[in-house]
Amino acid sequence: MSREVRDAVVVGSGPGGLAAAVTLARAGLDVLVLEAQPTAGGGARTLDLGLAPDLTHDLCSAVHPLALASPFLRAFDLPARGVELAVPELSYAQPFEGRDAGLAYRDLDRTAEGLGADGPAWRRLMAPLVEHNDAVVALGLGDHRSVPGELLSPGGVQAAIAFGTAMLEQGTPLWGARFTDDVAPALLTGVAAHTISALPSLPSSGTALLLGSLAHAVGWAIPVGGSQRITDALVADLRAHRGELRLDTPVTTWRALPRARAYLFDTTPGTLARVWGERMTPTARRALERHRHGQAAAKVDFVLSGPVPWSDPRVGGAATVHLGGSREEMAAAENTVQAGRHADRPLVLLSDPTVADPSRAVGGLRPLWTYAHVPAGSPRDVTETVTAQIERFAPGFRDLVVAARCIPAARMAEHNANYPGGDIAAGAITMRRMALGPRLAWDPYRAGVPGVYLCSQVVPPGPGVHGLTGWFAGRRALRERFGIRRAPDLAPDGVVT
């Protein structure tokens, strides 16, 4: 082991790792963050890909409803640190061929009015979740080990019952019972498909209800300048509290780490097992090595010479668009991928950040971010597949493409080791995984070696740029390794990025 001595070492600088590091550094500890990549941020990075001069693309996450909802990031107060979160009036859209699109506005009533006969059903589904959204967020983004205070009020109980009932409805074959037309179901299914899981399923319905209610309660934010602004604010705070970030520093064995009283890993369970396996019990090591990964995403970044020419022009007001057609089409495509096969028309997630942040356009060109769902490890270049899927709903799109670049699923781990085979959720999204983490243990943050913790998206509350996995793991480390029971204050103290 290195002769260097630290209070705590964090491996990985994704949102979970940086949140853990900030938590520890703000408690007065000497913290070192080690990152294998030349840039910090993991899934929250914005880079110049060389596709057009001075034009930047979000490498993984681009849209951030959880940045406005996360208790950690709310306390951290991104706006006070100079991070502007632009919130479009139109949260997301679901276009169709030959007919009007489904539109989810910030305004719940406006959304319901646009859904015709299914408007009242949409309002009944979402209104209790929007009215008591703090309770819904506490339920969905908690550590799944304690009862949040928000759920103890009458409104919190009402929201929990409404959420659980709706989750059972939308996560089972009953999911078609509420609606009569196909627009509202498709709107909900597009959000559910963010999980890259079977449809219907309980995890996908829980995601649809959480993110869908946030679309009305707080909106789906776009950080002005890109996702990197969130990362930069976390790094600035870490350094302001005497923490250190070391880039281009991969970790392959515990022997290369500095001596420390706590180690927090923003990595996959497999990486943790490779680094610490010889210090673990055989049972703990086998559990981490058996962690099941899910199906994948292939990324296509475009440079466009103008706005996407949507058939329904109203879609142009959405920074987030789900492309896949009806609920039945999307479910068939997602279930084909779950079976390990490419869908002819895969579900495509599209983010057009310039809609919310005009500064992203440079010299008349604008970035466009897309993901297509594919089988894990797929080497296929899906540029033409994604282009054709966009063309279905925006004829003439290909005429605007100035440049494009695909990162096949098989190569996603090259820029983020937490995405093996293109699994951007770092594991199959199942109820067991969301509740328990990667192994059967009461405390999912403990890694099976004293003083070693997991703080990546494989532990509750799961995937997303919310920082809560690091916040929960960091507070456990403070309590168990340093005897610090009071959570540190996260409010800005004059640091502006």
Side-chain angles (χ1 to χ4, degrees), residues 197-214:
S197 63
L199 295 176
S201 69
L202 293 177
S204 65
S205 68
T207 297
L209 294 167
L210 173 61
L211 297 183
S213 64
L214 289 175

Side-chain angles (χ1 to χ4, degrees), residues 67 110 218:
R110 184 179 180 184
V218 298

Side-chain angles (χ1 to χ4, degrees), residues 48 71 77 147 192 235 258 351-352 372 379 444 448 472:
D48 184 339
D77 197 348
V147 179
V235 170
S351 173
D352 189 349
F472 293 143

Side-chain angles (χ1 to χ4, degrees), residues 251-269:
V251 174
T252 57
T253 172
W254 63 271
R255 289 185 171 84
L257 293 169
R259 294 183 182 275
R261 293 168 64 185
Y263 300 91
L264 294 94
F265 275 64
D266 184 5
T267 68
T268 65

Side-chain angles (χ1 to χ4, degrees), residues 110-242:
R110 184 179 180 184
T111 303
E113 288 168 6
L115 293 175
D118 279 334
W122 185 272
R123 189 180 286 106
R124 286 192 298 272
L125 177 69
M126 288 294 177
L129 309 183
V130 174
E131 182 180 356
H132 302 290
N133 201 244
D134 283 350
V136 172
V137 168
L139 182 66
L141 296 183
D143 65 3
H144 304 164
R145 296 296 180 279
S146 55
V147 179
E150 293 87 345
L151 296 181
L152 299 179
S153 67
V157 172
Q158 177 187 349
I161 293 172
F163 188 90
T165 302
M167 185 173 165
L168 287 172
E169 172 197 302
Q170 292 300 313
T172 67
L174 295 173
W175 71 339
R178 179 180 295 266
F179 300 113
T180 58
D181 196 7
D182 58 356
V183 178
L187 265 182
L188 205 56
T189 305
V191 185
H194 282 238
T195 57
I196 318 182
S197 63
L199 295 176
S201 69
L202 293 177
S204 65
S205 68
T207 297
L209 294 167
L210 173 61
L211 297 183
S213 64
L214 289 175
H216 301 306
V218 298
W220 284 16
I222 298 284
V224 173
S227 298
Q228 189 72 44
R229 295 302 307 277
I230 296 174
T231 293
D232 291 346
L234 290 164
V235 170
D237 191 80
L238 170 68
R239 288 173 169 155
H241 292 86
R242 297 181 297 280

Side-chain angles (χ1 to χ4, degrees), residues 384-468:
E384 177 53 34
T385 300
V386 170
T387 300
Q389 189 72 318
I390 300 173
E391 277 271 339
R392 287 178 64 192
F393 312 104
F397 166 76
R398 67 174 67 246
D399 297 332
L400 299 175
V401 176
V402 174
R405 186 192 79 159
C406 176
I407 306 176
R411 298 188 60 189
M412 290 289 281
E414 293 177 12
H415 68 77
N416 191 332
N418 284 4
Y419 300 160
D423 174 12
I424 59 174
I429 302 295
T430 65
M431 291 301 293
R432 179 188 182 280
R433 175 260 176 98
M434 297 298 284
L436 299 177
R439 66 190 186 97
L440 188 62
W442 171 249
D443 190 334
Y445 308 94
R446 293 179 183 168
V449 178
V452 182
Y453 301 85
L454 263 173
C455 62
S456 65
Q457 58 183 350
V458 300
V459 292
V465 179
H466 44 62
L468 289 165

